[in-house]
Amino acid sequence: MKLTNNIYTFIIVLLLATYSFGQNSTAPEKKESLITVLENIKKKFEVEFNYSQEQLKEVSVTTPDFSTSLSNILLQLERETKFTFQQMDSRFIIVKLKKGVIVCGFLKNKDTNVPIESATIQGLTNATTSDENGFFRLQISSPKELITIRHISYKTIQRISENFTENGCGSVYLIQQTESLSSVIISNYIASGISKLSNGSFTLNFKNFDLLPGMIENDVLQAVQAFPGIQSTNETVSNLNIRGGTHDQNLIKWDGIKMYQSGHFFGLISMYNPQITQKVQLLKNGTDVSETDGVSGTIAMETAKNISTTFKGSVGINFTDANIFFDTPLGKKSSIQIAARKSINDLIETPAYNAYFEQIEQDTEVAENQENIINSDKSFDFYDTSFRWLYSIDDRNELRLNGIFVSNTLSFTETLVTGTIEDSRESNLQQKSFGAGLYFKNNWRDKLFTTLEIYESDYKLRAINANLLDSQRFLQENKVSETSAKLKLNYLYNDNFSINAGYHFVETEVTNLDDIDIPLIRLLLSEVLRTHAFFSGINYNSNDKNTQISFGGRYNYLDKFKKHIIEPRFSLSHTFLEDFIVEAQAEFKHQNTSQIVNFQNDFLGIEKRRWQLSNDNDIPVLTSKQLSVGLNYQKNNWLASVEGYFKEVDGITTQSQGFQNQYEFTKASGQYDVYGIDMLLRKRLDNLNMWLSYSYMNNEYTFKSLEADPFASNYDITHSVTSGITYSYNSLKLGLGLNWRTGKPITMPVVGNEISNGEINYEQVNTSRLEDYLRLDFSAKYAYELSERMRLDFAFALWNVLNTNNQIEKYYRINSQDTVSDIQRFSLGMTPNFSCRLYF
């Protein structure tokens, strides 16, 4: 019994000991203020500490075991803190911040995850800037030191240094500081690098851009045609139709400079160098109150906004041009980018060059002339140069200068053979653009900043046509000179609200010249219009970022006409049920310039359109109203988007719409009304990306002085489908895309009664259509890494793989036999292109 009791006692004691051990082992360690611990050490070991009260006041440590030695206690404190405890003698100990302790991180854009370069990271005593990867290091002087991160394009943040070092050099996300507070709501909208913003606009970031079928380089104005609702009825980038509008109704800006020319080869390729153009914003509706013009849409191109810290560049060549680009720092606060392109047909005529040249000369005086006149020595040349200079005056002030110069030149020799006598004269055509802009931004108090934007934009189209039969020279010129100054103020009231306001002045001068030497006829018309505008808007962003609203208005005064125009603007984006986004945009806009066609042989028939300034009479000021509502669904790499819209544009003229029927030489003004729906379906599977877009449009003219009832617009593309698939594997990218649309409306002669009273007897206007358009494109790109800093890219594209013979234009003329002939223009056939580019 005694033995049993002893066993029970032993078991109880053992259980109690085990429980006690378990309790002690899981009990949380006690934390105390470091200053309190030092005071206890001071009493225990009779020592004195020399330290900064400010540095240590918020530092806590585990309560040390005072039964151990002083050296062990000090070693424990060193391990738990950023301080060293240096014993000067047996009594005095100096507490200092450990040498070499730094904070570090990678700054990134919260919406796009793109590294943020040239941000200022500042502590109490030291400061640094982030590099091109967004990385920074900063030596600190206090564990509780307040670190300020500031960039003129992002919201300033402040963080305690401890927050940087707990997880090593982690990512620090900054929110872009924009006037509209717009953020990305859909990434990879069609392909990588394409995003949809909360204000309804789209951005194309070419730094992260994927491959699009048919393209070897990032041609801006070709790329935007991948979006539903945007197409070119004749395959040129100088005839982009956004939701049924004409190309002249698009506001095209390059780094804030309005441009009046779009392409090389008179529209077949974009004139904006893809190496220096990094980002593009596309708006169909919901334009910011600070912008004017572009009653149909806006395409705004931007260069990089970060100051480069290292030199980088590239050289390349393709079947149309050779080009060069470099980006170099000019000290720590400045950098410059320069890009240039030049056609290579002086050295070699490639298949792509020949195809482009044949396309632009179709049905023009360049291709065929009058009887007994032979055209020869045809030559074409183009080049462009552009630059961007950035200067960071300090962390609150930024200066940017931009410039662009573009030239297209076409010439040929006309020879008249009369018996044994030959008479030769040269005809030529020049198209040039120049733009220069200044941008100054000041961040006053992190919440208030102002920007000043000034630009000068000049455009000139000049043609000399030699008429050998009449021994006559015909000179035509069309010039546009525009000066703009805009002052914007933006106040970020808090994280939810911002207010923007400003003043905008625009002076536009348009000059047209027609000059004939025999008989002497000279008609010169130059007009100037000045516009003053005041604008203001309010932007709201909910705390959960699910709701964003922008609304405001713009007041415009056209001094020449004493005309007042008020333009409200609105944009809404709301996320619900996590995966659904509903959108709505509305806007009123106006425009003072348009392109008209006087005769089909204007400027040798190559460029038939000339810019004309509104006169508030037979060429009215264009005004537009537009409303759109859309719904997006995004989940598990699926994206479905649908948007309906209605747009009304008033003040159009028959001369601006490209009629080639009974209204070709009629002068009348009217309007067009268009409603439609844009849809997109996209799916991503690892390295595979697939999309399908569809657009439906009903676009009708109303010219009350011509027709009692509305009739189909010349740009009424009822159905349009674009689909594509891209595949990426390591350094290889492949893309295949299909484009199909219904034919554009045309007017045919009455069958069996084609001519009446010496003129073509047309059927009702635009009641027939061209055949459907179909095109299949292919692209491939391969990147080969030569070294850490050098890369070689090869790209191949095949435009119109099926060599489809697509009609893009058809009209009628009475020939020399007094019968009606149809004149047709066709799209590009199968056209290969190849490029090679070295990055360094």
Side-chain angles (χ1 to χ4, degrees):
M1 186 71 177
K2 184 177 182 180
L3 178 60
T4 304
N5 289 337
N6 289 338
I7 293 174
Y8 286 153
T9 302
F10 174 79
I11 293 173
I12 292 171
V13 171
L14 181 62
L15 291 174
L16 290 173
T18 304
Y19 176 79
S20 176
F21 176 79
Q23 288 294 307
N24 291 335
S25 63
T26 58
E29 296 178 332
K30 187 178 179 181
K31 291 277 189 177
E32 284 187 282
S33 164
L34 177 57
I35 294 177
T36 301
V37 170
L38 296 183
E39 289 297 319
N40 292 333
I41 294 174
K42 178 180 175 181
K43 296 176 183 178
K44 171 72 176 177
F45 298 97
E46 297 181 348
V47 293
E48 295 289 336
F49 290 92
N50 185 355
Y51 58 84
S52 168
Q53 188 84 14
E54 182 66 22
Q55 287 184 347
L56 272 63
K57 67 178 183 179
E58 294 185 24
V59 180
S60 298
V61 295
T62 304
T63 303
D65 183 2
F66 286 96
S67 64
T68 61
S69 65
L70 174 62
S71 59
N72 285 338
I73 295 175
L74 296 180
L75 181 61
Q76 175 193 333
L77 297 180
E78 282 195 0
R79 289 172 177 170
E80 290 190 31
T81 67
K82 302 172 184 177
F83 300 96
T84 60
F85 299 81
Q86 184 178 357
Q87 282 192 266
M88 305 303 296
D89 52 35
S90 59
R91 183 172 175 81
F92 289 95
I93 301 173
I94 298 177
V95 183
K96 297 190 301 183
L97 194 67
K98 294 176 184 177
K99 290 183 178 181
V101 173
I102 58 173
V103 293
C104 59
F106 292 88
L107 299 183
K108 295 182 180 180
N109 184 307
K110 186 177 181 181
D111 293 326
T112 64
N113 214 36
V114 173
I116 300 174
E117 185 179 2
S118 303
T120 300
I121 301 92
Q122 187 170 15
L124 293 177
T125 58
N126 296 316
T128 186
T129 58
S130 57
D131 64 16
E132 61 182 357
N133 298 314
F135 180 73
F136 69 90
R137 281 180 177 169
L138 179 70
Q139 186 171 352
I140 60 174
S141 58
S142 168
K144 296 296 181 181
E145 188 169 338
L146 189 65
I147 307 300
T148 301
I149 302 176
R150 182 181 290 113
H151 190 286
I152 197 164
S153 298
Y154 294 85
K155 290 185 179 181
T156 298
I157 66 170
Q158 292 181 319
R159 301 177 73 177
I160 300 298
S161 58
E162 284 183 344
N163 296 337
F164 291 98
T165 55
E166 288 179 355
N167 300 315
C169 297
S171 296
V172 180
Y173 295 95
L174 302 186
I175 298 174
Q176 196 157 10
Q177 185 168 247
T178 61
E179 296 177 20
S180 62
L181 293 178
S182 298
S183 60
V184 174
I185 57 174
I186 299 175
S187 299
N188 304 321
Y189 183 77
I190 293 177
S192 297
I194 301 178
S195 303
K196 190 170 188 179
L197 304 187
S198 58
N199 64 356
S201 67
F202 301 90
T203 61
L204 291 80
N205 191 331
F206 290 131
K207 190 174 183 179
N208 306 311
F209 196 61
D210 210 343
L211 186 72
L212 284 180
M215 294 170 51
I216 56 170
E217 293 182 318
N218 299 325
D219 190 307
V220 174
L221 300 184
Q222 291 286 0
V224 298
Q225 295 181 53
F227 291 90
I230 302 177
Q231 56 253 224
S232 171
T233 57
N234 64 357
E235 290 190 337
T236 68
V237 298
S238 59
N239 189 37
L240 289 180
N241 314 121
I242 299 179
R243 288 179 171 172
T246 53
H247 184 75
D248 59 331
Q249 295 170 7
N250 301 328
L251 172 61
I252 297 179
K253 301 179 71 177
W254 184 80
D255 250 3
I257 306 169
K258 181 181 178 180
M259 305 303 297
Y260 285 88
Q261 180 183 346
S262 303
H264 288 309
F265 272 110
F266 299 97
L268 286 177
I269 59 176
S270 171
M271 74 178 197
Y272 305 101
N273 196 306
Q275 306 306 316
I276 198 172
T277 304
Q278 181 179 343
K279 189 177 179 181
V280 182
Q281 186 177 31
L282 169 67
L283 292 99
K284 304 178 189 177
N285 191 9
T287 311
D288 187 80
V289 293
S290 64
E291 297 292 350
T292 187
D293 286 340
V295 295
S296 193
T298 301
I299 301 172
M301 290 159 277
E302 299 178 7
T303 58
K305 298 299 183 290
N306 296 327
I307 294 175
S308 300
T309 57
T310 58
F311 173 81
K312 53 190 173 184
S314 65
V315 292
I317 189 170
N318 55 50
F319 278 0
T320 59
D321 60 80
N323 49 80
I324 186 171
F325 166 78
F326 67 84
D327 184 0
T328 182
L330 302 174
K332 294 184 178 180
K333 292 188 174 183
S334 177
S335 69
I336 188 170
Q337 292 184 343
I338 296 179
R341 284 191 295 179
K342 171 72 170 64
S343 58
I344 62 171
N345 55 288
D346 293 339
L347 302 175
I348 184 174
E349 293 186 359
T350 65
Y353 171 85
N354 290 330
Y356 288 168
F357 191 87
E358 290 174 5
Q359 173 73 355
I360 64 173
E361 70 168 358
Q362 279 188 85
D363 185 36
T364 68
E365 194 172 329
V366 181
E368 295 181 7
N369 219 312
Q370 303 175 56
E371 295 179 4
N372 301 325
I373 297 179
I374 301 172
N375 291 350
S376 61
D377 300 326
K378 301 176 185 179
S379 66
F380 177 77
D381 178 69
F382 74 81
Y383 63 88
D384 63 69
T385 58
S386 47
F387 80 91
R388 183 235 61 191
W389 175 61
L390 281 180
Y391 176 54
S392 178
I393 301 172
D394 52 41
D395 59 358
R396 291 185 180 273
N397 294 274
E398 174 188 334
L399 180 67
R400 183 178 79 236
L401 292 177
N402 295 86
I404 184 170
F405 182 77
V406 182
S407 175
N408 285 263
T409 303
L410 171 68
S411 65
F412 62 98
T413 300
E414 299 182 45
T415 302
L416 173 63
V417 180
T418 307
T420 60
I421 300 175
E422 292 187 1
D423 184 16
S424 298
R425 295 182 67 177
E426 183 183 81
S427 295
N428 61 68
L429 174 64
Q430 294 180 339
Q431 189 180 33
K432 296 183 178 181
S433 288
F434 168 78
L438 178 146
Y439 175 91
F440 175 73
K441 186 173 184 178
N442 178 270
N443 189 345
W444 294 91
R445 298 178 179 274
D446 295 332
K447 290 181 175 293
L448 174 67
F449 63 88
T450 56
T451 58
L452 175 65
E453 300 177 38
I454 300 174
Y455 73 75
E456 172 68 26
S457 181
D458 295 320
Y459 168 79
K460 183 177 181 180
L461 179 62
R462 184 177 189 268
I464 296 179
N465 187 359
N467 186 338
L468 295 177
L469 292 176
D470 298 328
S471 299
Q472 189 181 75
R473 185 267 300 145
F474 184 22
L475 169 65
Q476 295 174 293
E477 285 187 355
N478 176 224
K479 295 192 292 186
V480 181
S481 179
E482 183 166 288
T483 304
S484 169
K486 182 190 298 182
L487 179 64
K488 295 195 297 183
L489 180 146
N490 184 241
Y491 177 65
L492 302 177
Y493 181 75
N494 53 33
D495 290 339
N496 303 112
F497 286 95
S498 73
I499 302 170
N500 60 307
Y503 166 74
H504 191 189
F505 169 78
V506 182
E507 180 185 86
T508 307
E509 180 181 11
V510 178
T511 302
N512 282 287
L513 171 67
D514 292 297
D515 188 321
I516 301 176
D517 59 350
I518 301 174
L520 184 59
I521 300 174
R522 181 178 175 85
L523 179 61
L524 176 65
L525 180 63
S526 182
E527 297 178 299
V528 178
L529 179 61
R530 298 178 183 89
T531 302
H532 304 269
F534 296 91
F535 55 86
S536 180
I538 298 176
N539 310 292
Y540 169 76
N541 194 343
S542 63
N543 290 327
D544 56 10
K545 310 301 180 185
N546 285 337
T547 304
Q548 297 192 41
I549 303 174
S550 298
F551 66 91
R554 183 181 178 94
Y555 163 75
N556 306 274
Y557 176 68
L558 283 59
D559 62 351
K560 187 175 182 179
F561 313 133
K562 304 293 188 291
K563 197 179 189 71
H564 307 267
I565 301 176
I566 297 177
E567 300 170 337
R569 312 275 175 85
F570 173 78
S571 178
L572 164 70
S573 171
H574 176 67
T575 302
F576 64 100
L577 300 179
E578 296 185 356
D579 305 315
F580 291 89
I581 303 170
V582 63
E583 301 173 277
Q585 289 90 34
E587 67 178 23
F588 282 45
K589 297 183 78 174
H590 86 285
Q591 184 173 318
N592 300 324
T593 55
S594 57
Q595 286 184 308
I596 66 170
V597 177
N598 282 336
F599 301 99
Q600 293 300 326
N601 61 352
D602 279 2
F603 302 97
L604 305 177
I606 297 293
E607 179 53 75
K608 303 173 184 178
R609 300 163 300 178
R610 61 173 72 194
W611 286 101
Q612 186 73 52
L613 196 63
S614 298
N615 57 23
D616 206 31
N617 188 10
D618 60 325
I619 304 178
V621 174
L622 288 169
T623 59
S624 71
K625 304 172 185 177
Q626 186 174 184
L627 172 67
S628 58
V629 178
L631 181 66
N632 305 278
Y633 172 77
Q634 184 175 220
K635 188 174 184 180
N636 298 330
N637 291 321
W638 279 98
L639 169 65
S641 176
V642 58
E643 185 175 24
Y645 63 89
F646 171 78
K647 180 170 67 174
E648 175 189 295
V649 177
D650 194 13
I652 63 171
T653 65
T654 48
Q655 290 177 289
S656 69
Q657 298 301 302
F659 282 102
Q660 292 179 302
N661 50 30
Q662 58 264 52
Y663 297 143
E664 182 173 344
F665 303 110
T666 303
K667 293 185 178 181
S669 61
Q671 70 179 51
Y672 73 84
D673 299 282
V674 54
Y675 63 85
I677 187 169
D678 295 335
M679 303 175 65
L680 175 74
L681 184 65
R682 188 221 66 205
K683 174 63 176 177
R684 297 182 68 90
L685 292 170
D686 296 329
N687 298 330
L688 201 64
N689 182 53
M690 300 169 287
W691 75 89
L692 173 69
S693 70
Y694 167 74
S695 294
Y696 167 78
M697 178 195 304
N698 185 82
N699 190 359
E700 291 185 329
Y701 289 135
T702 301
F703 290 99
K704 293 182 179 180
S705 62
L706 301 179
E707 296 278 343
D709 299 320
F711 59 92
S713 163
N714 296 332
Y715 303 94
D716 178 40
I717 306 299
T718 309
H719 304 284
S720 177
V721 174
T722 301
S723 64
I725 180 170
T726 59
Y727 175 75
S728 300
Y729 180 75
N730 295 333
S731 299
L732 178 66
K733 294 182 179 180
L734 302 173
L736 189 67
L738 179 71
N739 294 269
W740 172 87
R741 63 174 181 263
T742 53
K744 61 178 288 190
I746 61 171
T747 308
M748 297 178 62
V750 176
V751 178
N753 187 23
E754 289 84 359
I755 299 177
S756 176
N757 297 324
E759 296 182 350
I760 298 177
N761 182 27
Y762 286 102
E763 62 181 16
Q764 288 188 337
V765 63
N766 285 353
T767 52
S768 299
R769 288 183 179 267
L770 295 177
E771 296 177 357
D772 292 353
Y773 178 96
L774 177 67
R775 191 184 81 239
L776 182 69
D777 302 325
F778 171 77
S779 287
K781 188 175 183 179
Y782 181 76
Y784 180 70
E785 300 290 339
L786 297 174
S787 65
E788 185 177 346
R789 291 184 55 86
M790 297 183 68
R791 187 180 88 243
L792 194 61
D793 281 7
F794 299 96
F796 173 77
L798 196 59
W799 183 275
N800 196 357
V801 174
L802 303 178
N803 199 28
T804 309
N805 199 28
N806 292 304
Q807 280 186 335
I808 58 175
E809 197 172 289
K810 185 177 182 180
Y811 58 97
Y812 299 86
R813 293 290 184 264
I814 299 178
N815 57 35
S816 57
Q817 288 79 36
D818 287 331
T819 59
V820 174
S821 297
D822 64 323
I823 299 172
Q824 302 182 58
R825 296 190 68 209
F826 294 91
S827 66
L828 281 170
M830 185 169 59
T831 305
N833 207 343
F834 174 81
S835 73
C836 177
R837 174 165 293 276
L838 175 65
Y839 293 88
F840 51 85

